[in-house]
Amino acid sequence: MNVREIERQLGIPRANVRYYEKEGLLHPQRGSNNYRIYTGEDIEALKKIRLLRQLDMPIETIRAVQAGEVALTDAVARQERLLENEAVKLEQARAVCRSMLADGVTYAALEPARYEQARPALPGQAGSEPARTRRPPVEGAEWAFNPWQRFWARFLDVHLATGAAAVFLSLACHITAAAGDSRTAGVFSLVLGWMLVLAIEPLLLSTWGTTPGKWLLGLELRDHAGGKLSYMEGLRRTWGVLGTGYGFEIPVYSLYRLYKSYRTCADDEEMPYDREQGFQYYSIVPGQWWYRRASAAAALLALLVWAEVWCSYQGLAPPNRGDITKAELAENINALANRLDHGLWVDGDGYELARQTADVLEADGSWVRYVYGEPVSDKPVYTVETDENGYITAVTVMEEGGFEGEGASFSTLHLNRAELVTMAFIGTSGSGYRMGKSALWRDLSQAGQWDGSPVSGEGFTRTATLEQEGYYDDFGQSTGLLMPLPEAESGRFRFTVRVEKTTR
């Protein structure tokens, strides 16, 4: 059967038939002349579609019923509620018309307050109908009472904002979780993130009617008249979300508020910040399909988390990159020491400088005065090798010590200094993420790496050796503790880390 015969026998216009095919409700075969051929199965499908469309059932719902994603009884029950609601509205409108005709009122003498009593109450007003039975302003839309759909939309919006804040803190302020101050970075990014939400979300709601998270999850927001919210209405609503929905992110209390919000949505009730101001929150996609968009949201969140981690490590990248001089290496070391709260401060020749003026009691019982900005030792923390242009080709960190006499205490290797100098040198090449993950400095805390075996990566080669006498090492704890042998009368050790640039 061709489309002309369908039009004649079923009374369905060919434009409608083409539309149903475009929407995926029909799948006619093609003949040798490329004309559509409608089988008996297609005819039966058209009859069913015609019946359901006569019930004013949306195309999206019919498609879901065809696919078995929604039971026909559920779809019909929902449509029956919507039609009943429309019937009530029509009857109320007819009642207003009859009253106006009976009064013989003219436009000039029309008093709206006299006739508005018969209108349906707006959302949140006394006597309003249940939220679930009101019809959304968009054909085929459903009221957004799915708590998980709304949670993931909000979670994505908040994480977009906090992620942007975390990137800013990492790259501009060097406050990063990778630097060990994860609590500080988390608090700052959360506060700045919500400040962004409070500033940007009302603007998006007043111009777009949705936000990135809501759009991806298929949600929109309107006022009681079906229009977009004003900026101030959006701001009041977002503030309500922060307070009532998230409990101002106060630990424990925020979990309670999230649970209460979940129960409110699960019970088909409107949130207070929507009900009080007459906002309408609805889904522009069938509720049973939102999880497909949630999968995309989860993938986006995973990408955002990866980007935050990458930027967090990028915030550790030293200021001087490429070929560097002795002075630039010192700047790199001091910058990383500040970001990692290390406390080391060196000059251009690698000597540690005092960070304050103070009298310090030494191990031999003598008092020594350290003056701010002056070297604290006659031995440098590291030495460098340079090429003919004065650029560093290798850096060596050496630490020596020992004891005389029985009953000596343990010695501690300053592994964090060797790690810091290594990071400052290898960070001149590649990304901050590669530097932060590099085994060149991370494996220095592993005793098995101290046998002089070369470790290469990022265009550098690192070796670490420990020469000792009169000590046994507590390497199992990766602490760098050297314990004197009970029977030893003296001991010596030398710990050397050398990092050489292998590519130019």
Side-chain angles (χ1 to χ4, degrees):
M1 183 178 294
N2 57 36
V3 69
R4 184 182 295 107
E5 293 171 326
I6 289 178
E7 193 172 29
R8 184 177 63 252
Q9 293 186 21
L10 300 183
I12 302 176
R14 67 180 63 193
N16 288 16
V17 177
R18 296 282 191 268
Y19 175 69
Y20 298 152
E21 180 182 348
K22 178 183 176 182
E23 292 295 321
L25 302 180
L26 288 176
H27 306 281
Q29 300 176 1
R30 294 278 183 168
S32 57
N33 55 3
N34 204 33
Y35 288 171
R36 294 176 177 82
I37 300 177
Y38 297 91
T39 64
E41 184 177 349
D42 294 326
I43 302 304
E44 289 301 314
L46 275 170
K47 292 178 180 179
K48 295 176 182 179
I49 294 169
R50 179 179 62 183
L51 173 61
L52 296 178
R53 289 298 290 163
Q54 289 173 349
L55 301 179
D56 203 22
M57 185 175 291
I59 291 293
E60 293 82 359
T61 304
I62 297 175
R63 187 189 300 116
V65 171
Q66 275 191 347
E69 297 173 347
V70 176
L72 178 60
T73 53
D74 292 340
V76 172
R78 175 183 180 278
Q79 197 63 25
E80 190 272 336
R81 291 195 299 269
L82 292 175
L83 292 173
E84 181 180 359
N85 183 50
E86 288 298 315
V88 171
K89 289 182 179 179
L90 289 174
E91 182 57 35
Q92 290 174 331
R94 290 180 59 193
V96 172
C97 290
R98 287 194 295 267
S99 296
M100 294 174 68
L101 289 173
D103 294 342
V105 65
T106 64
Y107 183 79
L110 180 62
E111 298 178 6
R114 173 181 175 84
Y115 302 102
E116 284 180 345
Q117 300 175 1
R119 291 181 55 195
L122 296 177
Q125 293 180 342
S128 64
E129 62 208 78
R132 177 69 81 178
T133 62
R134 296 195 306 274
R135 188 169 187 172
V138 175
E139 178 67 23
E142 298 178 354
W143 294 113
F145 288 108
N146 187 320
W148 290 111
Q149 184 181 16
R150 295 182 62 161
F151 171 80
W152 280 110
R154 171 58 57 185
F155 186 77
L156 182 58
D157 281 335
V158 173
H159 202 80
L160 281 170
T162 56
V167 169
F168 171 77
L169 291 171
S170 297
L171 301 183
C173 305
H174 303 292
I175 300 176
T176 73
D181 51 357
S182 57
R183 180 174 298 179
T184 301
V187 170
F188 271 89
S189 61
L190 184 63
V191 173
L192 289 180
W194 271 106
M195 290 174 64
L196 280 175
V197 171
L198 287 168
I200 297 176
E201 181 170 298
L203 181 63
L204 293 175
L205 292 177
S206 61
T207 57
W208 192 20
T210 187
T211 62
K214 294 178 178 61
W215 173 81
L216 188 58
L217 271 296
L219 297 170
E220 290 191 6
L221 191 70
R222 295 289 187 270
D223 62 19
H224 63 270
K228 297 183 180 69
L229 280 62
S230 68
Y231 182 86
M232 291 307 300
E233 288 176 331
L235 180 60
R236 287 194 296 270
R237 183 185 185 278
T238 305
W239 183 258
V241 171
L242 175 59
T244 305
Y246 277 77
F248 297 105
E249 296 286 5
I250 299 173
V252 181
Y253 178 64
S254 63
L255 295 177
Y256 169 74
R257 291 311 318 168
L258 285 171
Y259 172 75
K260 293 293 290 183
S261 299
Y262 171 85
R263 290 308 320 163
T264 299
C265 290
D267 293 339
D268 292 351
E269 297 179 5
E270 294 169 305
M271 295 299 296
Y273 42 78
D274 288 334
R275 181 177 62 251
E276 293 169 1
Q277 302 188 61
F279 299 150
Q280 300 185 10
Y281 199 14
Y282 63 90
S283 173
I284 58 176
V285 297
Q288 69 275 7
W289 290 359
W290 77 270
Y291 63 87
R292 300 182 183 179
R293 293 176 175 242
S295 300
L300 178 58
L301 283 171
L303 181 62
L304 288 173
V305 170
W306 180 88
E308 287 180 36
V309 172
W310 190 90
C311 290
S312 178
Y313 279 101
Q314 193 64 22
L316 289 179
N320 300 305
R321 313 271 288 166
D323 294 329
I324 60 173
T325 63
K326 293 168 54 177
E328 290 173 330
L329 176 62
E331 290 179 3
N332 284 358
I333 293 172
N334 294 333
L336 284 175
N338 288 330
R339 295 171 192 175
L340 297 171
D341 196 22
H342 186 284
L344 182 64
W345 182 22
V346 297
D347 63 12
D349 293 319
Y351 288 91
E352 182 181 3
L353 304 179
R355 299 180 69 90
Q356 61 181 343
T357 299
D359 294 323
V360 178
L361 179 63
E362 296 294 310
D364 59 2
S366 62
W367 288 86
V368 177
R369 166 158 289 194
Y370 292 101
V371 180
Y372 171 82
E374 294 186 359
V376 299
S377 173
D378 57 357
K379 294 182 180 180
V381 176
Y382 62 90
T383 58
V384 301
E385 300 171 27
T386 60
D387 61 13
E388 63 277 9
N389 297 316
Y391 294 124
I392 298 176
T393 59
V395 178
T396 301
V397 180
M398 181 183 295
E399 184 177 357
E400 296 179 301
F403 67 92
E404 295 288 344
E406 297 181 357
S409 62
F410 62 85
S411 298
T412 303
L413 301 178
H414 293 90
L415 298 178
N416 50 4
R417 292 189 176 185
E419 294 171 346
L420 190 66
V421 173
T422 302
M423 293 173 66
F425 191 32
I426 68 173
T428 59
S429 175
S431 66
Y433 180 82
R434 291 177 60 185
M435 179 202 71
K437 293 293 186 180
S438 176
L440 292 174
W441 71 271
R442 284 185 173 274
D443 286 352
L444 280 174
S445 61
Q446 303 299 319
Q449 300 290 326
W450 299 349
D451 59 359
S453 300
V455 178
S456 299
E458 289 72 55
F460 298 86
T461 297
R462 185 266 295 161
T463 58
T465 57
L466 175 64
E467 305 169 57
Q468 59 179 338
E469 180 182 337
Y471 288 95
Y472 71 93
D473 43 46
D474 189 20
F475 293 157
Q477 299 180 19
S478 300
T479 59
L481 291 179
L482 302 180
M483 307 299 295
L485 293 170
E487 66 278 9
E489 297 182 358
S490 64
R492 297 288 182 273
F493 73 87
R494 174 183 294 173
F495 181 58
T496 306
V497 177
R498 174 183 168 83
V499 184
E500 182 178 0
K501 200 169 189 178
T502 55
T503 59
R504 295 295 302 275

